[in-house]
Amino acid sequence: MTPDAPTTPAIQLVGLRKSFGAGEHEVVAVDSVDLTIDNGEFFSLLGPSGSGKTTVLRMIAGFETPTAGAILLEGQDVTRKPPYERDVNTVFQDYALFPHLTVHQNVEYGLKVKRVPKGERRQRAGEALEAVRLSALGHRKPSQLSGGQRQRVALARALVNRPKVLLLDEPLGALDLKLREEMQVELKAIQREVGITFVFVTHDQGEALSMSNRIAVFNHGRIEQVGTPHQIYDHPETSFVAGFVGTSNVLSAELSFQLMGVAKVHSVRPERLRIVREVASDSEVTVSGLVTDLQYLGADSRIRVAIPDGSHLLANVPSDGLVGVAIGEPLRVAWSRYAAFVVADTNTEGGEE
């Protein structure tokens, strides 16, 4: 955030709750969410389908009314205000571009509805298209664009209104893998250039980790952890976060006590494990088992090892170190004691969204 940026947070959610139905048929989609998003952040709401993240986004946009709690935009309570009275815009997965209008006309449309003068409309639409690197394609129709280009037109259409906050509801979900990865880079670059707050909903952990300043991980309508991508990945606070964000070996309290002398649930990332062919150091934890699966992933390979307590460990190791490793053969793996983190034992099932 720049030194002259406002100190009031872009978004504050206070005790936010949303339920559907009543009595025994009540379904709680969002349960007592407190969250602060700073000005200029690229903030992601991450969670599985039905975790409540999209409902939170819709309440910020004004498309859903909270059952309880408050929504503040730059310190102003907008909880009961309609969408058109909130300084936010939303980009959906379905771009909903007008097929009969050109790209430039699509971007201008919102300003035309607001009766912005024609000259100003054209100027602002041109600036928005320049921001998303589509200045040369303003004369084309949506059908003449690629999926990634149509996504950028939808983004320009939202940016042209100069909102304080841009809400993005899984906008990359309809793109193929390679284009989605390219658009992740583009979207983050655009956000840095325009400098406004982006709130990005996704169930894709890779998207959230690669694009965000901070991430809120949702489960069962609640936030399990808020932190930077590094904090979320390397220091998960709960077993759900450890298992949902990337891949993790979650060791039960009993197994942790057997191996490390601490009767608490621990998380160890697969890339922290190594194959042991010599005497391990005193600072390492070792365990022996049988290889039950071996996946070649290119430079790295993933090994699944069944250990005596009936559970399995996953190890990501360099593929050039697999000499002598085969399915059905015994194997010993180790990890540094410092690579295992205590996590709260939480439910890993999704809730209602």
Side-chain angles (χ1 to χ4, degrees), residues 99-323:
H100 63 288
L101 300 181
T102 66
V103 166
H104 202 285
Q105 289 168 337
N106 264 282
V107 176
E108 273 191 45
Y109 185 78
L111 300 178
K112 187 175 182 179
V113 171
K114 293 181 178 180
R115 301 185 182 278
V116 173
K118 187 174 183 179
E120 183 181 347
R121 288 203 313 262
R122 288 184 174 177
Q123 179 184 346
R124 287 172 59 176
E127 291 171 352
L129 285 171
E130 185 176 353
V132 299
R133 301 167 187 84
L134 287 179
S135 297
L137 302 182
H139 63 285
R140 292 191 182 182
K141 297 289 182 66
S143 61
Q144 298 173 301
L145 303 180
S146 68
Q149 288 169 336
R150 287 196 294 272
Q151 196 273 342
R152 281 189 278 170
V153 174
L155 185 60
R157 187 176 56 186
L159 291 173
V160 78
N161 291 305
R162 299 173 181 169
K164 295 290 180 61
V165 176
L166 188 64
L167 308 174
L168 302 105
D169 188 8
E170 306 210 41
L172 309 184
L175 306 180
D176 61 56
L177 178 60
K178 186 171 180 58
L179 184 54
R180 191 161 67 244
E181 290 174 345
E182 291 174 357
M183 282 306 305
Q184 289 170 18
V185 177
E186 287 282 337
L187 201 55
K188 181 59 180 174
I190 290 168
Q191 190 269 340
R192 284 197 301 265
E193 289 174 13
V194 299
I196 67 175
T197 306
F198 276 29
V199 181
F200 187 89
V201 164
T202 182
H203 64 272
D204 187 305
Q205 304 94 328
E207 280 186 357
L209 291 171
S210 66
M211 299 169 69
S212 312
N213 299 122
R214 288 193 301 149
I215 301 167
V217 183
F218 279 76
N219 183 35
H220 282 311
R222 292 177 175 267
I223 293 177
E224 297 242 346
Q225 185 175 352
V226 177
T228 65
H230 178 272
Q231 290 168 338
I232 295 291
Y233 186 83
D234 284 334
H235 302 280
E237 294 177 356
T238 70
S239 57
F240 173 80
V241 174
F244 182 73
V245 182
T247 303
S248 188
N249 295 298
V250 178
L251 313 179
S252 67
E254 182 180 359
L255 181 58
S256 294
F257 182 74
Q258 292 174 5
L259 297 177
M260 296 177 287
V262 180
K264 294 183 177 180
V265 178
H266 283 74
S267 168
V268 187
R269 294 293 184 186
E271 60 269 24
R272 306 299 187 191
L273 274 63
R274 70 180 186 90
I275 298 172
V276 180
R277 292 191 170 93
E278 71 286 336
V279 177
S281 70
D282 292 338
S283 64
E284 289 186 306
V285 178
T286 62
V287 62
S288 297
L290 290 177
V291 177
T292 61
D293 191 36
L294 183 59
Q295 294 177 300
Y296 177 75
L297 304 174
D300 295 323
S301 291
R302 177 168 293 178
I303 305 169
R304 183 177 173 89
V305 182
I307 58 178
D309 78 331
S311 62
H312 291 78
L313 294 176
L314 292 176
N316 283 5
V317 299
S319 293
D320 58 8
L322 292 179
V323 177

Side-chain angles (χ1 to χ4, degrees), residues 16 18 28-35 44-56 201-203 205 215-226 232 237-245 344-353:
L16 201 63
K18 179 65 178 179
V28 178
V30 176
D31 191 5
S32 302
V33 165
D34 294 298
L35 183 64
S44 288
L45 309 181
L46 173 66
S49 177
S51 61
K53 60 189 186 299
T54 296
T55 303
V56 168
V201 164
T202 182
H203 64 272
Q205 304 94 328
I215 301 167
V217 183
F218 279 76
N219 183 35
H220 282 311
R222 292 177 175 267
I223 293 177
E224 297 242 346
Q225 185 175 352
V226 177
I232 295 291
E237 294 177 356
T238 70
S239 57
F240 173 80
V241 174
F244 182 73
V245 182
D345 190 7
T346 54
N347 198 325
T348 57
E349 295 179 5
E352 296 293 334
E353 184 146 328

